[in-house]
Amino acid sequence: MADKDKSTSILPLSRVKTIMKSSPDVSSISQEALFITGKATELFIQALARFSLEQNKDQSSVEYKDLAEIVNTEETLQFLQDIIPRKIKAKEYFQMLKNGDSEVDT
């Protein structure tokens, strides 16, 4: 990693804590757990962006459509399909509904 100071986090830990506390199963969060969760999230985002860049033809930027394609084609990332779905136009969606296409909810 290129971080000079390993004790800092790029993500705001207050936001990470808010997200963690949104689970009804979580009552308290230690500082260590908060920091490790934040760091793991940063590393995951970096790996996802790197993987997307490697798979992209234009390796100078990552766009939403690139991430959506990776998430929908890679088996290990399928847990993100509801969060990063492929975008379709409303006209296409309504046409799919009209045709009774079974792929409407993916």
Side-chain angles (χ1 to χ4, degrees):
M1 255 174 58
D3 287 346
K4 290 180 184 175
D5 186 5
K6 303 272 188 215
S7 66
T8 61
S9 180
I10 296 171
L11 295 175
L13 294 180
S14 60
R15 285 281 174 99
V16 175
K17 186 174 186 176
T18 301
I19 293 168
M20 290 173 72
K21 286 199 141 213
S22 69
S23 172
D25 298 332
V26 175
S27 59
S28 65
I29 302 165
S30 70
Q31 284 301 111
E32 294 84 10
L34 178 61
F35 178 76
I36 289 173
T37 302
K39 205 52 149 168
T41 303
E42 288 176 20
L43 294 173
F44 176 75
I45 293 169
Q46 288 174 359
L48 182 61
R50 219 176 275 121
F51 185 66
S52 183
L53 274 173
E54 290 169 2
Q55 301 298 314
N56 193 359
K57 293 174 188 167
D58 173 24
Q59 295 189 349
S60 62
S61 65
V62 176
E63 295 182 12
Y64 180 90
K65 64 180 180 177
D66 302 325
L67 290 174
E69 190 59 35
I70 295 283
V71 164
N72 284 280
T73 55
E74 289 296 318
E75 189 174 332
T76 57
L77 297 174
Q78 288 184 354
F79 70 96
L80 292 172
Q81 283 181 342
D82 292 339
I83 298 168
I84 309 175
R86 286 186 181 121
K87 288 189 176 183
I88 62 170
K89 295 181 179 176
K91 183 178 181 179
E92 294 170 2
Y93 181 76
F94 290 128
Q95 187 63 41
M96 290 167 67
L97 282 176
K98 186 177 179 181
N99 295 339
D101 195 339
S102 64
E103 294 275 327
V104 171
D105 54 332
T106 57

